[in-house]
Amino acid sequence: MTGCTVTCRAEGPRTVITLAGELHLAAVQQAERAIRDGRREHGEHLVFDLAPLLFLDSSGLSLLLRFYLAAEGRGGSAALAGPVTERVARVLQVTNLDQRLTIYPSLPEALAAMPEITGADPGRSCAP
């Protein structure tokens, strides 16, 4: 199995977190550190770009869910952007998270559809 490469960048007031490769148990700790660093640097309005993600297991899904819910709990926002691979889509479907989380067909669509952000970014803490 290969690992997961995480890149974070600001896209206006949003933090775009791109996950590439395989997000599984062996890669979760490193991915979590990278996501925390990106969130600390760019803020709590997160868009997870899953288009280059090839594989997602339950530990990777748990990581995504923790950050997704933490962002919303801190007054931020979160969304997932695709297109997702069949393997990733299947994990989201089996867990029924495709019905509970906001998943956009592409990164540009996610960025365009998310609500406008006004005022200062709520807290840039480092724990999910």
Side-chain angles (χ1 to χ4, degrees):
M1 276 192 180
T2 63
C4 182
T5 302
V6 178
T7 56
C8 300
R9 72 179 193 282
E11 186 79 31
R14 312 227 183 270
T15 302
V16 175
I17 301 164
T18 302
L19 302 169
E22 299 179 355
L23 186 54
H24 49 71
L25 183 59
V28 163
Q29 251 185 349
Q30 179 182 343
E32 183 172 5
R33 280 192 299 271
I35 294 168
R36 281 185 181 172
D37 290 347
R39 191 185 69 196
R40 188 179 308 122
E41 184 176 347
H42 304 297
E44 289 289 344
H45 296 283
L46 311 178
V47 179
F48 290 93
D49 180 7
L50 304 183
L53 190 63
L54 303 174
F55 177 81
L56 177 67
D57 73 2
S58 61
S59 61
L61 185 61
S62 176
L63 177 71
L64 282 177
L65 190 56
R66 281 195 323 262
F67 276 100
Y68 190 103
L69 296 173
E72 291 185 341
R74 289 188 173 96
S77 59
L80 305 178
V84 295
T85 65
E86 275 188 49
R87 292 175 84 184
V88 172
R90 183 73 182 135
V91 171
L92 294 170
Q93 290 166 353
V94 166
T95 58
N96 212 26
L97 288 175
D98 63 330
Q99 302 299 311
R100 302 185 66 104
L101 303 179
T102 306
I103 306 171
Y104 294 95
S106 70
L107 181 58
E109 288 174 87
L111 292 169
M114 290 183 73
E116 190 170 322
I117 300 168
T118 58
D121 193 15
R124 293 181 182 214
S125 63
C126 57

